[in-house]
Amino acid sequence: MAKHVTIDGNGAVSHVAYAFSDVAAIYPITPSSTMAEYVDEWSAKGRKNLFGQTVHVAEMQSEAGAAGAVHGSLAAGALTSTFTASQGLLLMIPNMYKIAGELLPSVFHVSARSLAAHALSIFGDHADVMACRQTGFALLASGSVQEAQDMALVAHLATLKASIPFLHFFDGFRTSHEIQKIEEIEYEEMAKLVDWDAVKAFRDRALNPEHPHQAGTAQNPDVYFQNREAPNKYYLAVPGIVEKVMEQVGELTGRHYSLFNYEGPEDAEDVIILMGSGTEAVEETITALNKREGTKYGVLKVHLFRPFSAEHFLKALPASVKHVAVLDRTKEPGSLGEPLYQDVCTVLREQGREDIMVVGGRYGLGSKEFTPTMIKAVFDNLHAKEPKNHFTVGINDDLTHTSLELGARLNAAPEGTVSCKFYGLGSDGTVGANKNSIKIIGDHTDLYAQGYFAYDSKKSGGLTVSHLRFGKKPIKSTYQIDFADFIACHNPAYVTAYDMVDSLKEGGVFLLNSPWTAEEMDSRLPAHMKQQLARKKARFYNIDAIKLAAEVKMGTRINTIMQAAFFKLAQVIPYEDADRYMKEYAKKTYGRKGDAVVKKNWDAIDIAISGLKEIPVPERWANATEGAEAPKVEATEYFDKVVRPILGQEGDKLPVSAFSPDGTVPTGTTKYEKRGIAVNVPEWQIDNCIQCNQCSLVCPHAVIRPYLIKEGTEKPETFATKKALGKEFAGYEFRIQVSPLDCTGCGNCAEVCPSKEKALVMKPLDGQVAAQEANAEFAAKLPEFKGEVNKNTIKGSQFLKPLFEFSGACAGCGETPYVKLVTQLFGDRMIIANATGCSSIYGGSSPTVPYTTNDEGHGPAWANSLFEDNAEFGFGMNLAYNQRRAKMAEVVEKLIAVEYATAEIKEAGKAWLESGNNADASKAASAKLVAACEEGIVEGCTCDACTLAREVLAGKDVLIKKSIWIF
Ligand code: SF4
Ligand code: SF4
């Protein structure tokens, strides 16, 4: 009897990789990191591999280092694996050539991910893997968590027999992080399939002074070419070896794989060919369409992509096929077609099968959704009057018109599948609780279970959407839920922010966590939500989880309460069982923290059910036109047209033309977000304040700021001020202003406030929004204080405008107060060469930018290169500005040497040359030089002085000394 486990793709693959590795050389990169972490953890715990030894794990300084270590370890006779993705994989390429060239058996497991081009994306596509086509590695693809485990085994077994290294890949996030119930293969079973002679032969080939040989020589033109052809027969043997190994694995597991797996009717005429997780969605869709509509659609799933076996391909493709759509999850700009398409075209042409119509298209880049609706559009295109070739599907390319039109939304999930969606707040425990629910259901029932978790770009406090499916059949829906039986909203602020019930099925359940009564719902819910609830005849429940959590002393942790409510309402398993399992898991998870913590969780489970209230949905809601609305913020056109839809989870609908071709975006956009995510925000107690400005210094989000306003300035009545302390502020009034909707509620400010009687008291958000939002808006429009402040003091520095505000950093972040301070001091002349990490996520994650500008429009310019090279990137920026400013100095020198140049130009030019490398002095000198040049130029005159002055003005943006911050 097979052992079932509920596990993610990375876990399933690591299980196999560990078995076959003597050594693992690693370097973490999302989304592959957890594979290395699993292996590292098991090694630390002394788990044994197939050779009865604990795997030796070595974490290197980069992926290039990891690949080098793999190479060396293989050369010395240890079976060695690594795990990587994206740029990390690209860094391994030089060593991959070496490993393949030396016929060293190894497996690199890759959770395939996009490559950074116009922007970085940590999400999945095949761009990284496709960049390795030429290395000599065999490329083996998996489409699901189960397949990822099985193909990992195929790869490890085959590489031993073939002496060709394997790159085993599966889709980043979609497969690597998807949780599925799978059948696990035990190590004893795997061991039976190992070619032990091949293991011995590999070890015997190791570099060893007892029987020395030399590898990696330098060859001349006379022999390099021939030697490059010498291993051909190894590649020719790979398809046969993989086929054989797949048969063995099939005998062992009952799951039968081929190099190309065909699914669909034997007499299919229309076939989609693809690899990776999309194969599952296509199989699910053709099953539904063939059954419901009598179509004869098929899918050819590619497993062994390199070496590409034309023979196996043709054998797998039904002879009846007339139309083929080849889908690639990558883009190769300027090519005649993407890689798989080109291969299929080549095979069909070489085999004289020009009778088959072939079109190719791109889908799913950067984990773009790939749904049954899109798959249907691909089949429809095959029968269009003029089928599109080189198309895109899933986007609206309104520039080059490559996209396929989509039809009505298609539900292809097998009957009986229960789909549940949860909208949570990052770090509120929702995702953890859902992972736990999946395990409970997966481990205790014979239901198949699938979990997928989508996050927005905020470090925490952002949106998380959990997608859970349960069913009697294996779940092949490798896309987010678009037909939900159950939807839970864990944060009341989301009701106006997201269209959550759009995907709710007729008669489905909507669960809301809010403090609102049934009567209040009318005014608290937006019109479109009320309409959908009524039209879909939804069963609507509310629970005040925050209140209940407080009652059982869980603070603001609502996850356990919401989990219990889910089990009660979704009825995937009888509630009595769920209650028992949840309590068992709570004991397992929190047992180490003591009985009191376990009890709190048990109390939370018990109290949840009593707090559930069914809310009647009046029929009149079906035509509701009034209700709550999201806070209206006056913003830029760019924000309204591009950012707002992305924030509202509608980014998929943006057309290609909405984006700049080079991926650049305007700064200063977080100020329009107004997330309103805090539970409590600080209220200023004017009488207690000693005007130290420490609150402003420690605020990670630039939410609380001191303002100086001229006495007599007209201001709102509620904008209370007090006389500013300090003679340099004579004639000014002082006020601390909080922007409640930007606050994360971390409490740092209130905690640091040194006033004897606290001058900051944390109060519920709602009241503070009502009392302070208008004041915050007024304060934000006040002119910057232009008087002298001692910016070398805490107090003085905080009167300078932060040019980094309202970032997506975690509440209470200890890093961003410094970032903010640096921008206050130097931001107006700063360029940031960003080092990938937290600072890229809170500083440069689409769609908003926290770096902003001062009243003159000056502020940090920011760019990220690669994880590995930000120092060099910043060094390059410095070279550029030194060179450009040196050129400017030459121009200014020439200008002031012109005899008849004006006295002002000469004086200003000289001053700039003398002070140009002094940051503050260069600002004043630059302003004077610009003014003198503008003044001195005579319209239409082409004399030397006017020409050179124009040259100065044309390059005036380099006059002020720049500060390059490598961070
Ligand atoms: Fe800033 Fe945190 Fe205070 Fe809010 S609670 S103003 S985010 S320090
Ligand atoms: Fe006033 Fe307290 Fe802020 Fe100091 S830390 S400025 S005392 S509110």
Side-chain angles (χ1 to χ4, degrees):
M1 169 99 172
K3 181 181 160 201
H4 282 102
V5 292
T6 308
I7 195 170
D8 67 9
N10 278 345
V13 169
S14 316
H15 171 68
V16 179
Y18 193 93
F20 284 84
S21 302
D22 298 312
V23 172
I26 59 171
Y27 192 78
I29 178 168
T30 309
S32 72
S33 307
T34 45
M35 284 190 279
E37 284 164 13
Y38 280 122
V39 169
D40 202 15
E41 186 188 326
W42 296 332
S43 166
K45 287 182 178 159
R47 178 163 156 175
K48 300 285 187 260
N49 59 17
L50 290 191
F51 318 107
Q53 197 181 15
T54 299
V55 176
H56 188 103
V57 180
E59 179 160 352
M60 302 303 294
Q61 84 290 10
S62 75
E63 291 88 349
V70 170
H71 183 194
S73 179
L74 290 167
L79 288 171
T80 311
S81 310
T82 192
F83 316 93
T84 194
S86 195
Q87 260 80 226
L89 180 59
L90 298 201
L91 281 175
M92 293 187 173
I93 286 177
N95 260 298
M96 291 172 75
Y97 275 94
K98 295 292 296 170
I99 292 166
E102 294 166 14
L103 297 175
L104 295 169
S106 174
V107 181
F108 286 19
H109 295 282
V110 175
S111 47
R113 166 182 150 180
S114 312
L115 294 172
H118 65 283
L120 173 146
S121 166
I122 57 167
F123 294 99
D125 65 39
H126 302 160
D128 52 359
V129 173
M130 291 303 125
C132 300
R133 280 183 287 153
Q134 74 286 22
T135 58
F137 268 55
L139 305 185
L140 190 69
S142 300
S144 67
V145 178
Q146 180 72 66
E147 274 188 19
Q149 177 204 240
D150 297 348
M151 288 300 151
L153 178 58
V154 169
H156 280 281
L157 293 170
T159 192
L160 285 169
K161 284 179 183 290
S163 292
I164 295 292
F166 273 62
L167 188 163
H168 165 231
F169 70 99
F170 44 97
D171 291 355
F173 282 107
R174 185 66 255 178
T175 307
S176 66
H177 284 61
E178 180 181 303
I179 297 175
Q180 278 263 9
K181 183 153 118 179
I182 66 164
E183 284 183 12
E184 190 176 75
I185 308 171
E186 310 268 1
Y187 280 13
E188 305 80 67
E189 300 297 316
M190 290 183 199
K192 291 178 196 160
L193 304 185
V194 175
D195 183 341
W196 295 99
D197 292 340
V199 174
K200 180 166 185 328
F202 161 70
R203 299 208 197 280
D204 289 348
R205 283 206 285 139
L207 290 166
N208 191 320
E210 312 282 318
H211 42 86
H213 67 264
Q214 187 181 47
T217 61
Q219 292 180 334
N220 290 332
D222 53 346
V223 298
Y224 178 87
F225 190 175
Q226 300 95 301
N227 209 156
R228 199 75 184 101
E229 300 294 325
N232 285 356
K233 61 179 175 32
Y234 286 83
Y235 286 92
L236 292 173
V238 170
I241 291 171
V242 173
E243 189 178 35
K244 185 96 194 109
V245 167
M246 284 175 163
E247 277 168 22
Q248 290 174 331
V249 171
E251 276 165 28
L252 173 72
T253 63
R255 292 181 295 279
H256 298 281
Y257 299 103
S258 307
L259 276 48
F260 301 90
N261 270 103
Y262 173 76
E263 303 290 345
E266 281 317 311
D267 55 349
E269 296 190 349
D270 305 321
V271 168
I272 290 179
I273 302 173
L274 77 171
M275 51 192 162
S277 65
T279 56
E280 295 281 288
V282 177
E283 186 184 339
E284 180 192 66
T285 307
I286 62 164
T287 307
L289 289 176
N290 290 347
K291 190 169 160 200
R292 285 181 217 158
E293 299 180 14
T295 47
K296 289 196 170 170
Y297 295 149
V299 56
L300 191 67
K301 303 175 176 183
V302 179
H303 289 302
L304 187 68
F305 176 60
R306 284 287 177 275
F308 197 102
S309 168
E311 184 199 330
H312 288 86
F313 173 82
L314 286 169
K315 229 190 320 176
L317 194 70
S320 52
V321 168
K322 290 188 177 148
H323 315 107
V324 159
V326 187
L327 298 183
D328 276 277
R329 201 162 199 160
T330 189
K331 178 177 172 67
E332 297 200 352
S335 69
L336 285 174
E338 269 63 36
L340 184 58
Y341 166 79
Q342 293 222 35
D343 285 359
V344 171
C345 288
T346 305
V347 172
L348 294 178
R349 163 108 199 176
E350 286 186 355
Q351 303 299 320
R353 292 297 309 268
E354 281 97 343
D355 55 307
I356 299 179
M357 183 195 86
V358 187
V359 293
R362 295 182 291 280
Y363 74 104
L365 267 60
S367 280
K368 170 68 73 191
E369 283 289 280
F370 182 54
T371 64
T373 313
M374 296 169 198
I375 293 160
K376 168 119 185 3
V378 173
F379 280 115
D380 290 346
N381 179 54
L382 291 176
H383 289 278
K385 228 183 188 170
E386 288 180 33
K388 273 191 179 172
N389 197 1
H390 310 297
F391 60 80
T392 56
V393 65
I395 57 168
N396 171 12
D397 173 8
D398 57 341
L399 287 183
T400 46
H401 310 289
T402 57
S403 308
L404 301 184
E405 290 268 331
L406 302 186
R409 199 157 42 165
L410 178 68
N411 183 2
E415 250 173 63
T417 308
V418 180
S419 305
C420 309
K421 242 168 135 174
F422 303 78
Y423 287 76
L425 188 75
S427 72
D428 72 352
T430 298
V431 169
N434 285 328
K435 285 184 176 171
N436 182 254
S437 301
I438 287 261
K439 272 194 103 42
I440 285 178
I441 295 169
D443 292 352
H444 293 97
T445 69
D446 56 1
L447 292 174
Y448 287 92
Q450 178 204 49
Y452 185 77
F453 305 92
Y455 307 86
D456 75 1
S457 50
K458 301 288 185 275
K459 284 296 292 180
S460 71
L463 173 71
T464 64
V465 187
S466 309
H467 300 258
L468 271 53
R469 289 184 176 97
F470 308 97
K472 292 210 164 75
K473 294 188 178 158
I475 294 163
K476 293 181 179 288
S477 313
T478 46
Y479 48 88
Q480 298 183 10
I481 290 170
D482 46 10
F483 291 89
D485 299 276
F486 173 93
I487 294 177
C489 168
H490 289 197
N491 186 332
Y494 289 170
V495 297
T496 50
Y498 309 116
D499 187 1
M500 286 175 289
V501 281
D502 177 55
S503 55
L504 190 69
K505 280 184 193 166
E506 175 125 8
V509 173
F510 179 60
L511 168 66
L512 176 65
N513 160 37
S514 84
W516 306 324
T517 62
E519 294 69 41
E520 280 179 295
M521 290 298 173
D522 208 12
S523 60
R524 294 292 190 168
L525 303 187
H528 68 88
M529 180 178 266
K530 291 190 285 187
Q531 282 172 17
Q532 298 200 61
L533 289 172
R535 290 177 191 174
K536 293 181 174 185
K537 301 196 178 1
R539 286 156 55 214
F540 176 23
Y541 292 84
N542 187 66
I543 186 166
D544 189 349
I546 293 274
K547 188 169 142 243
L548 297 174
E551 277 175 31
V552 292
K553 307 206 168 18
M554 295 272 285
T556 52
R557 298 284 291 181
I558 60 167
N559 53 344
T560 308
I561 291 168
M562 296 306 288
Q563 185 187 23
F566 154 71
F567 273 115
K568 180 74 183 166
L569 295 176
Q571 288 290 320
V572 183
I573 55 176
Y575 184 73
E576 302 68 51
D577 296 344
D579 181 83
R580 199 172 70 244
Y581 300 142
M582 278 189 289
K583 286 178 178 166
E584 279 171 20
Y585 270 92
K587 189 156 176 59
K588 208 161 112 189
T589 313
Y590 303 111
R592 272 181 296 125
K593 295 186 178 172
D595 289 348
V597 180
V598 175
K599 183 171 180 309
K600 270 197 240 174
N601 278 276
W602 285 19
D603 290 348
I605 294 166
D606 291 337
I607 204 171
I609 308 311
S610 60
L612 261 182
K613 303 235 167 355
E614 180 152 16
I615 307 289
V617 177
E619 266 177 42
R620 65 181 166 79
W621 278 10
N623 300 310
T625 52
E626 286 181 358
E629 284 181 19
K632 288 249 180 328
V633 185
E634 209 178 301
T636 58
E637 191 187 351
Y638 167 77
F639 188 91
D640 284 335
K641 286 200 168 149
V642 179
V643 180
R644 218 182 277 287
I646 300 173
L647 292 173
Q649 298 288 293
E650 305 273 321
D652 281 329
K653 294 182 185 158
L654 287 173
V656 171
S657 63
F659 302 91
S660 67
D662 60 1
T664 53
V665 292
T667 63
T669 40
T670 46
K671 61 174 166 277
Y672 306 121
E673 283 192 79
K674 304 292 172 215
R675 295 194 286 156
I677 58 165
V679 175
N680 295 313
V681 303
E683 183 187 73
W684 186 47
Q685 312 297 311
I686 184 168
D687 295 334
N688 299 341
C689 179
I690 57 170
Q691 301 186 26
C692 67
N693 291 356
Q694 289 187 36
C695 50
S696 169
L697 182 82
V698 301
C699 176
H701 293 85
V703 165
I704 185 165
R705 286 182 54 196
Y707 288 90
L708 290 165
I709 61 169
K710 261 213 166 82
E711 279 170 9
T713 304
E714 215 174 298
K715 57 188 175 63
E717 234 169 70
T718 51
F719 200 82
T721 55
K722 65 196 292 188
K723 206 168 174 40
L725 295 175
K727 56 182 182 315
E728 67 273 42
F729 305 125
Y732 280 85
E733 292 278 303
F734 176 91
R735 176 177 170 84
I736 289 286
Q737 182 61 54
V738 176
S739 176
L741 288 172
D742 294 309
C743 179
T744 63
C746 70
N748 284 8
C749 53
E751 218 163 283
V752 82
C753 178
S755 170
K756 229 192 212 155
E757 299 291 323
K758 279 283 179 194
L760 293 169
V761 180
M762 300 302 283
K763 296 266 178 79
L765 175 69
D766 261 8
Q768 291 305 301
V769 170
Q772 295 301 332
E773 203 42 41
N775 287 338
E777 272 174 43
F778 174 77
K781 287 182 187 143
L782 283 171
E784 285 172 49
F785 178 68
K786 292 290 180 201
E788 281 294 310
V789 291
N790 183 354
K791 61 184 185 183
N792 297 323
T793 63
I794 288 176
K795 177 167 175 172
S797 67
Q798 293 313 299
F799 288 121
L800 302 173
K801 184 179 177 189
L803 300 181
F804 174 82
E805 59 185 8
F806 320 136
S807 78
C810 305
C813 175
E815 184 171 287
T816 49
Y818 296 98
V819 181
K820 185 189 61 177
L821 179 62
V822 172
T823 68
Q824 286 172 298
L825 299 176
F826 314 111
D828 58 344
R829 53 184 193 83
M830 177 188 286
I831 303 169
I832 299 172
N834 175 246
T836 305
C838 270
S839 63
S840 340
I841 305 306
Y842 63 64
S845 271
S846 171
T848 51
V849 181
Y851 293 98
T852 191
T853 52
N854 61 17
D855 288 356
E856 281 85 49
H858 297 175
W862 185 102
N864 173 290
S865 178
L866 300 175
F867 183 80
E868 305 79 19
D869 72 353
N870 82 299
E872 293 88 337
F873 187 48
F875 176 69
M877 290 174 177
N878 203 40
L879 290 178
Y881 270 98
N882 285 346
Q883 187 73 347
R884 292 176 68 196
R885 297 187 80 238
K887 177 68 191 165
M888 177 58 83
E890 280 175 24
V891 175
V892 174
E893 271 165 12
K894 275 192 208 158
L895 173 61
I896 62 176
V898 177
E899 208 182 321
Y900 48 83
T902 67
E904 289 77 14
I905 287 182
K906 282 177 183 275
E907 191 192 330
K910 203 160 159 272
W912 182 80
L913 287 169
E914 281 165 7
S915 63
N917 282 331
N918 175 315
D920 283 337
S922 83
K923 283 188 201 169
S926 302
K928 278 192 187 141
L929 180 57
V930 168
C933 287
E934 282 172 347
E935 187 70 18
I937 291 171
V938 177
E939 207 183 323
C941 176
T942 56
C943 76
D944 284 355
C946 285
T947 306
L948 288 163
R950 282 191 197 99
E951 218 178 302
V952 171
L953 291 182
K956 66 182 180 187
D957 60 358
V958 305
L959 287 171
I960 294 175
K961 184 178 184 301
K962 303 296 179 278
S963 171
I964 313 288
W965 191 20
I966 296 172
F967 157 69

